[in-house]
Amino acid sequence: MITKDAEISAPVVPAPEPAAPQQWPRKTRRAWDEAPRWQIYLPLGSYLLFTLIPFYWILLFALRPAGSTSLVPWPMTFEHFEKVWTERSFGTYFQNSVLIGVATLVMTTVIALAGGYALARFDFRVKRGFLLALLCSQFVPGALLLVPLFQIFAKLQMINSLGSVVIAETVFQLPLSMILISGFIRNVPYSLEEAAWVDGCNRFTAFRIVVLPLLRPGLIAVGSFAFVHAWNHFLFALMFLSNQDKQTIPVGLNTLMSADSVDLGALAAGGIIAAVPVVVVFAFIQKWLITGFSAGAVKG
């Protein structure tokens, strides 16, 4: 039993002092870390200004009245857009470009998906040679394909048909699209398909249920690239389409320029009509586009 005197005479143990906070080594600052902000923003602002001035100049010519020399598009007018859309048949050109672009997108994506899966999942004797041929085909300019394609389309009676341009654009886009999709499929674990086979799926069903949803960024990247190239390509549409009601927007823009004079207002309005759909598409798909191209380039 502890008495009261024992409690009083017991030594008092001092409380431990709190530990000092750990001192992390200070990061050495380099010379460029201490640069003033103006040295960063000035080059970026100059580059942004250099990039945006041409766009402003196009808007200026498209929105100000004909004959005006003002640097501000005021009073604003849309007469140039009405002129190119109705008098210059840009409404028909726009429709033809949309049909060619969408058809090229679908055909390129479907064929490249089948070919890319074969390159990624199967081994065959001429695989390396086939991949080398695909890579070498990227060094062939489109102008070299005009004569053989024209002869083929002439025998098939497809000259002056939108289908001829769609086939030519698809042939031109397939090598790169197939390489990108094959690289993206390689990033999908093969064990996922094997697990689907064990559950009773065949190869096509396993690909559709398991692999295809994971390929969405790659398919968007390949499809958008094919669409934009078909939308902007000038050479195939000029050579294979002769009637005015079959022409595309790039060819229509070329008709606005003559040897004697150039209607700058109409040309600027036509350029904006040609650029707006591509800008809108890229604004919605930029997230998947960057992911798809980076993933498809990891393994090829």
Side-chain angles (χ1 to χ4, degrees):
M1 182 175 180
I2 301 175
T3 63
K4 186 175 181 180
D5 296 337
E7 288 184 3
I8 295 175
S9 61
V12 178
V13 179
E17 297 182 359
Q22 184 178 3
Q23 299 291 334
W24 297 98
R26 296 186 61 183
K27 181 181 178 181
T28 58
R29 299 181 64 87
R30 295 165 293 186
W32 51 83
D33 292 333
E34 301 177 355
R37 290 186 177 273
W38 67 268
Q39 294 185 4
I40 300 175
Y41 293 137
L42 182 60
L44 292 178
S46 302
Y47 177 75
L48 182 63
L49 186 65
F50 178 76
T51 305
L52 293 181
I53 283 180
F55 291 98
Y56 177 76
W57 206 251
I58 293 176
L59 286 173
L60 181 65
F61 277 98
L63 295 178
R64 73 183 183 184
S68 175
T69 58
S70 174
L71 296 179
V72 179
W74 191 263
M76 191 178 298
T77 179
F78 293 94
E79 60 181 3
H80 300 301
F81 291 93
E82 296 177 0
K83 178 180 180 181
V84 297
W85 192 263
T86 57
E87 298 180 12
R88 297 289 189 167
S89 304
F90 260 66
T92 303
Y93 300 157
F94 188 89
Q95 181 181 357
N96 294 336
S97 294
V98 169
L99 292 176
I100 292 175
V102 173
T104 303
L105 183 154
V106 174
M107 290 185 61
T108 302
T109 304
V110 172
I111 300 175
L113 184 61
Y117 183 84
L119 291 175
R121 292 292 193 247
F122 298 103
D123 291 325
F124 45 92
R125 292 183 178 179
V126 295
K127 182 177 180 179
R128 292 182 178 273
F130 185 73
L131 285 173
L132 181 61
L134 289 179
L135 292 174
C136 293
S137 66
Q138 298 303 297
F139 300 101
V140 179
L144 294 181
L145 301 177
L146 288 178
V147 174
L149 286 177
F150 190 88
Q151 293 179 350
I152 293 173
F153 292 147
K155 292 182 179 180
L156 296 176
Q157 298 182 356
M158 295 183 63
I159 297 298
N160 202 31
S161 172
L162 297 182
S164 60
V165 181
V166 172
I167 294 175
E169 295 289 351
T170 303
V171 170
F172 195 75
Q173 291 298 313
L174 268 180
L176 179 60
S177 301
M178 200 176 298
I179 292 172
L180 288 175
I181 289 185
S182 65
F184 198 84
I185 292 176
R186 287 191 183 96
N187 292 331
V188 179
Y190 192 61
S191 58
L192 296 178
E193 291 186 77
E194 293 177 339
W197 298 344
V198 172
D199 292 337
C201 297
N202 55 28
R203 182 177 290 272
F204 178 77
T205 305
F207 173 78
R208 180 175 57 86
I209 297 176
V210 178
V211 180
L212 191 59
L214 301 177
L215 299 179
R216 182 172 61 177
L219 295 178
I220 292 176
V222 170
S224 60
F225 188 77
F227 176 83
V228 172
H229 188 275
W231 180 273
N232 294 326
H233 206 184
F234 170 79
L235 195 57
F236 290 155
L238 178 66
M239 295 301 298
F240 301 147
L241 304 175
S242 57
N243 290 353
Q244 185 178 1
D245 58 346
K246 298 293 181 65
Q247 297 291 356
T248 60
I249 281 186
V251 181
L253 289 174
N254 185 60
T255 60
L256 297 177
M257 297 180 293
S258 62
D260 300 330
S261 62
V262 178
D263 191 345
L264 295 179
L267 186 62
I272 293 176
I273 293 175
V276 165
V278 178
V279 173
V280 172
V281 169
F282 270 92
F284 283 101
I285 68 173
Q286 59 178 344
K287 178 176 65 176
W288 296 282
L289 185 66
I290 297 174
T291 304
F293 273 124
S294 60
V298 172
K299 298 180 181 179

